[in-house]
Amino acid sequence: MLELNDRTKIHAALFMRDSVAVKATIFHHLGNGMDLNTAQLMYKPLLKDGFQIFTYERRGFGGSTGEDDNTIQLKADALEIFDKFKTIEDVKGTNIIIWGVSLGGIFATTNAAERNNYIKGLVLEGTFSSFPDIADHYASEIKLEHLKWLIPLLLNDDFPTNQEIKKVTKPVVIIHSTEDKMIPFQLGENIFINSNKTNTTFWKIKGAHVKGIINYEREYVNKFNEILNQ
């Protein structure tokens, strides 16, 4: 457990392979509904390649205490957890890459923007450009087009990923499937459109939501290696 300043206890873990020399550390922001157990299914190829991976369950979810009904608090948590994470003995001195999938990508982008000087790069998959954008999409899906104008008022924009991405000056890889049924492809593309093109690449893939590491194992791992080599 990792204890925050307000005594909230965060369920977190650092995954590593004893037989493999560590080349870098990945700080992983989980997607909605993902916990430490399900996340491990994604880690095998990265661990095998020499990466160690730290991840955590957001307050109020899984093994973590607290309430998760305040997005400003969740944003502060993400930064506090990152600051505590980089003081872990096994993390000190290693290059750090932030990785965010789905909902976790909004936390990852803010994390990278606010702690740009401490990282080597950022990898996003299946992430949306803002809360209003994803709400707008789902309003269309359930035939509520006439209420679209209300959505920015009803949903705050504490995590404007399409704006935060501009602050990240380290290498960025944005990954999105054209077949994603959960987060529309265009919302990932919107993040890229708003990014710094000098340090950002967009990788268009196929397959289900955030299954890139499974469907494109070698290529996916290589995206992390490419960041390390820049």
Side-chain angles (χ1 to χ4, degrees):
M1 284 288 186
L2 187 155
E3 188 171 27
L4 301 184
N5 293 336
D6 68 355
R7 297 189 178 180
T8 297
K9 290 181 170 56
I10 298 297
H11 189 204
L14 179 64
F15 297 91
M16 60 179 72
R17 287 185 59 169
D18 293 335
S19 59
V20 179
V22 174
K23 66 166 65 172
T25 304
I26 296 170
F27 185 92
H28 188 207
H29 291 274
L30 299 175
N32 188 41
M34 294 177 65
D35 57 28
L36 268 62
N37 290 325
T38 57
Q40 291 182 64
L41 301 174
M42 309 170 71
Y43 295 165
K44 186 176 179 180
L46 288 161
L47 295 172
K48 183 179 179 181
D49 202 66
F51 293 94
Q52 60 180 3
I53 306 169
F54 175 93
T55 194
Y56 68 97
E57 294 167 350
R58 287 182 285 279
R59 68 164 62 214
F61 179 76
S64 297
T65 65
E67 298 291 333
D68 64 347
D69 57 356
N70 185 318
T71 53
I72 294 294
Q73 182 62 65
L74 293 176
K75 179 178 180 178
D77 285 354
L79 295 175
E80 185 179 348
I81 292 166
F82 180 83
D83 290 341
K84 291 180 182 296
F85 144 82
K86 59 187 176 63
T87 67
I88 296 172
E89 201 59 40
D90 288 316
V91 174
K92 289 179 182 177
T94 66
N95 286 315
I96 297 170
I97 298 175
I98 295 176
W99 179 27
V101 297
S102 193
L103 177 65
I106 66 171
F107 296 98
T109 307
T110 292
N111 187 174
E114 296 289 335
R115 300 293 186 268
N116 193 74
N117 293 337
Y118 294 99
I119 66 172
K120 282 288 289 183
L122 169 68
V123 177
L124 301 175
E125 184 186 355
T127 300
F128 50 91
S129 41
S130 70
F131 275 125
D133 285 350
I134 192 65
D136 185 67
H137 164 73
Y138 279 108
S140 298
E141 288 293 300
I142 59 176
K143 310 302 181 185
L144 293 178
E145 288 89 349
H146 61 292
L147 294 179
K148 279 186 180 182
W149 66 275
L150 278 173
I151 289 171
L153 303 177
L154 297 174
L155 264 180
N156 60 52
D157 197 13
D158 294 330
F159 294 90
T161 309
N162 53 353
Q163 297 302 314
E164 291 290 281
I165 197 69
K166 301 175 190 289
K167 303 175 187 176
V168 184
T169 61
K170 300 298 175 65
V172 177
V173 178
I174 300 171
I175 307 165
H176 215 110
S177 171
T178 57
E179 301 170 341
D180 195 325
K181 303 298 184 187
M182 186 73 66
I183 306 295
F185 174 78
Q186 62 265 29
L187 297 192
E189 193 172 42
N190 283 347
I191 301 173
F192 176 66
I193 290 170
N194 285 280
S195 68
N196 301 309
K197 304 304 181 298
T198 56
N199 60 292
T200 307
T201 59
F202 188 71
W203 183 24
K204 181 168 63 175
I205 61 174
K206 293 186 178 298
H209 182 58
V210 297
K211 291 295 188 292
I213 189 71
I214 296 171
N215 299 332
Y216 299 87
E217 182 178 303
R218 189 66 254 165
E219 298 98 315
Y220 208 103
V221 172
N222 281 342
K223 296 300 179 184
F224 288 87
N225 286 316
E226 288 168 8
I227 287 175
L228 286 182
N229 293 329
Q230 290 185 53

